Amino acid sequence: MKFFLDSANINEIEEIASLGLLDGVTTNPSLVAKENGQKDFNKIIKKICKIVKGPVSAEVISTKYENMIKEAEILSKIDKNVVIKLPMTKDGIKATSYLSKKKIPVNVTLIFSASQALLAAKAGAAYVSPFVGRLDDISSNGINLISDLSEIFLNYGFHTEILVASIRNPIHIIESAKLGADVATLPYSVLIQLFNHPLTDIGIEKFLKDWSNK
Ligand code: G3P
């Protein structure tokens, strides 16, 4: 399973990259807007691409096909690893078909159903981003969607990768991994949670105590 960081925070990205755990990064307008003083979107993406030697998703702001293509063409020139993030709309899918044919990789975001993911895969998306946390938030099981997508993509041999997004806790990651999801994009806080187990802390404490008493 590939680990992407769902962040536009340079310090977080540098820290996780230094652990040797970072396969890529996903950003979105909300994450970029959170980074005070980092108003130049293209500059942030360029900076991130320098740190991460893997796919970096950059989302378009336009909602109309023609403008999406214009934005995508500018973004894709920033670095060879830029993946264009497009919303799951008719215009987004039309732009996905166009860009995919031009070999520009697309991540279709805001996926909440198997039918939406099927459309994105048929349009040639490199990634689909099902939002598991936001589904859980409305009492709909997000992990069930990952299970459906794994089954459907396998049935037809789609090359589209399942990029699990809107992850809120380690259980989302483990359940997605059990289902063979290709990528998990993790908020920094959830990635750090993966390290923790109280028995590990107790074990270290005991080893150190025994050693100092020898
Ligand atoms: O990058 C998109 C997604 O991961 C957003 O997550 O927590 O805002 O639902 P969240």
Side-chain angles (χ1 to χ4, degrees):
M1 181 182 237
K2 284 175 264 188
F3 277 5
F4 290 1
L5 200 63
D6 200 20
S7 175
N9 182 291
I10 299 297
N11 294 336
E12 289 179 358
I13 295 168
E14 278 176 342
E15 182 189 328
I16 302 303
S18 77
L19 298 175
L21 291 173
L22 200 55
D23 299 303
V25 166
T26 52
T27 64
N28 63 39
S30 310
L31 290 171
V32 175
K34 232 171 61 182
E35 297 310 311
N36 288 335
Q38 300 267 14
K39 295 295 173 214
D40 188 332
F41 180 63
N42 294 10
K43 261 193 200 154
I44 299 182
I45 299 297
K46 200 174 195 165
K47 248 189 194 171
I48 296 173
C49 289
K50 280 215 173 94
I51 305 166
V52 191
K53 296 298 153 223
V56 173
S57 286
E59 189 158 345
V60 303
I61 308 298
S62 309
T63 53
K64 291 279 165 263
Y65 169 75
E66 290 77 11
N67 296 338
M68 282 177 174
I69 299 297
K70 275 185 206 148
E71 265 193 72
E73 280 168 347
I74 294 169
L75 289 171
S76 69
K77 284 193 184 98
I78 295 176
D79 191 280
K80 65 172 175 32
N81 284 331
V82 167
V83 173
I84 307 301
K85 209 169 174 190
L86 295 171
M88 176 57 227
T89 59
K90 257 191 214 159
D91 287 70
I93 289 299
K94 191 174 172 185
T96 301
S97 299
Y98 175 85
L99 294 168
S100 301
K101 278 191 194 93
K102 293 198 134 205
K103 306 271 177 254
I104 296 175
V106 174
N107 171 4
V108 179
T109 190
L110 292 164
I111 298 273
F112 294 97
S113 72
S115 58
Q116 291 179 323
L118 189 54
L119 292 173
K122 280 182 70 66
Y127 304 92
V128 284
S129 290
F131 277 33
V132 291
R134 291 194 199 179
L135 278 170
D136 287 358
D137 290 346
I138 58 156
S139 305
S140 180
N141 190 327
I143 291 299
N144 285 348
L145 176 57
I146 305 305
S147 168
D148 286 348
L149 300 195
S150 301
E151 189 181 335
I152 293 167
F153 285 11
L154 191 67
N155 282 348
Y156 295 100
F158 283 122
H159 295 299
T160 307
E161 294 191 32
I162 300 171
L163 191 166
V164 185
S166 184
I167 286 176
R168 301 277 160 78
N169 54 57
I171 296 168
H172 279 150
I173 300 159
I174 300 310
E175 291 304 315
S176 299
K178 278 156 68 179
L179 292 164
D182 304 280
V183 191
T185 190
L186 312 175
Y188 174 84
S189 58
V190 178
L191 203 150
I192 295 303
Q193 280 180 308
L194 294 182
F195 281 90
N196 299 337
H197 198 291
L199 291 180
T200 305
D201 300 336
I202 291 168
I204 291 171
E205 205 179 308
K206 183 172 176 353
F207 287 151
L208 292 177
K209 199 166 159 223
D210 291 347
W211 184 252
S212 66
N213 290 338
K214 77 177 183 315

